[in-house]
Amino acid sequence: MGQPSGFVGLKHYQKLFVDPSFGQTLLNTLMFTILTVVPTLAISLFISLMLNQRIGGMKFFRSAFAIPFAFSVATASVAFSIMYNPASGVLNGILQRLNGPQIHWLTSSPELAMVSVALATVWMNLGYYILVLMAGLGSISDDVVEAARLDGAHGVRLQTGIIIPLLGPQFFFLTVTGTLQALQSFGQIHILTKGGPVGGTTTLVYSIYQQAFANNNANYGYASAQAVVLCVVVLIISVLQFGLMQKKVYYQ
């Protein structure tokens, strides 16, 4: 049925590395990974340290900050698409009250669209990161903390010198899994921008989808070559992370 496929050797790989759009796709993937993993780690650490304080009502706030973990990617993406709506979205509504400009968050420029999608992804991942870090904070022995306080470690010094280093296993786990998740992100990009504007949010996974399935392209050979490149990228990054980070992780 149809035209029989034939073996083309390295033809698709040769096409990949002379295609300027593929280079932009790799750069988009790198930027998306950085813009999602690093802020999520930083924000979740700050929130987790605040939630770890022995103050009344913290159980409520712990539950509230874990809520994003209960939302699927599709649900959260639809919610953010409504928030980003230039005509009726809540963000532009706030700007209008402040006499600010009306911003087309997902269509005005590739850079703003990338930041907007990354912001939505950070919110989606925040609950899970906080749960993991809170579990790590709960496993730290009170004796270690008390000993540090007796030695004069308080406030910022206690957090940076004792608490955060002891969260090394959780940081290592979240960095590896978060990076792999960012490299394979698809749902929020498809719902919010469909890779636009001008391919500014087209990551490697979304490019594979476009070549193989979108608009009846059925360019399976080229998409498969991109998938192999993605596999190699994931492997290299994972090896680098294990080689550079695991030795610095302190396991109690």
Side-chain angles (χ1 to χ4, degrees):
M1 297 178 64
Q3 295 181 353
S5 59
F7 181 67
V8 295
L10 300 177
K11 179 182 177 181
H12 291 306
Y13 296 99
Q14 293 171 349
K15 180 182 177 181
L16 273 180
F17 293 106
V18 297
D19 185 0
S21 64
F22 181 69
Q24 183 62 45
T25 297
L26 288 177
L27 182 60
N28 290 344
T29 305
L30 175 62
M31 289 302 301
F32 179 78
T33 303
I34 294 173
L35 288 173
T36 54
V37 176
V38 176
T40 309
L41 279 171
I43 296 171
S44 60
L45 173 63
F46 176 77
I47 294 175
S48 298
L49 292 176
M50 295 299 101
L51 295 177
N52 198 44
Q53 305 302 312
R54 295 179 179 177
I55 302 175
M58 278 300 171
K59 290 183 178 180
F60 168 78
F61 289 104
R62 290 174 184 173
S63 300
F65 279 108
I67 285 177
F69 183 49
F71 284 82
S72 67
V73 172
T75 304
S77 298
V78 170
F80 270 89
S81 69
I82 297 172
M83 292 173 60
Y84 287 141
N85 188 292
S88 59
V90 65
L91 295 181
N92 276 353
I94 295 173
L95 290 175
Q96 186 177 7
R97 291 295 183 92
L98 300 175
N99 296 321
Q102 298 299 290
I103 300 175
H104 292 258
W105 299 94
L106 301 173
T107 57
S108 62
S109 71
E111 294 78 14
L112 182 59
M114 176 65 77
V115 172
S116 299
V117 176
L119 178 62
T121 306
V122 168
W123 184 87
M124 294 176 202
N125 295 336
L126 203 58
Y128 177 67
Y129 278 55
I130 290 174
L131 286 175
V132 173
L133 291 177
M134 288 300 300
L137 288 170
S139 66
I140 296 176
S141 173
D142 291 337
D143 295 337
V144 174
V145 177
E146 285 299 323
R149 285 175 174 160
L150 290 175
D151 288 338
H154 299 281
V156 176
R157 186 179 178 185
L158 175 65
Q159 304 297 333
T160 57
I162 302 297
I163 302 298
I164 294 178
L166 290 176
L167 289 175
Q170 287 74 30
F171 268 112
F172 176 62
F173 170 77
L174 290 174
T175 301
V176 174
T177 58
T179 300
L180 298 181
Q181 184 182 33
L183 290 171
Q184 300 175 71
S185 294
F186 172 81
Q188 60 269 53
I189 296 172
H190 183 61
I191 293 173
L192 292 173
T193 64
K194 288 183 168 51
V198 201
T201 58
T202 299
T203 59
L204 195 46
V205 166
Y206 199 75
S207 179
I208 293 170
Y209 162 76
Q210 288 179 319
Q211 292 295 330
F213 306 110
N215 303 316
N216 294 318
N217 283 336
N219 196 353
Y220 300 119
Y222 192 62
S224 298
Q226 288 184 324
V228 172
V229 172
L230 175 62
C231 180
V232 172
V233 169
V234 168
L235 179 62
I236 292 174
I237 292 178
S238 299
V239 170
L240 288 175
Q241 287 178 328
F242 273 86
L244 296 175
M245 296 179 61
Q246 192 174 30
K247 295 180 182 179
K248 300 181 180 179
V249 175
Y250 172 74
Y251 294 96
Q252 300 183 52

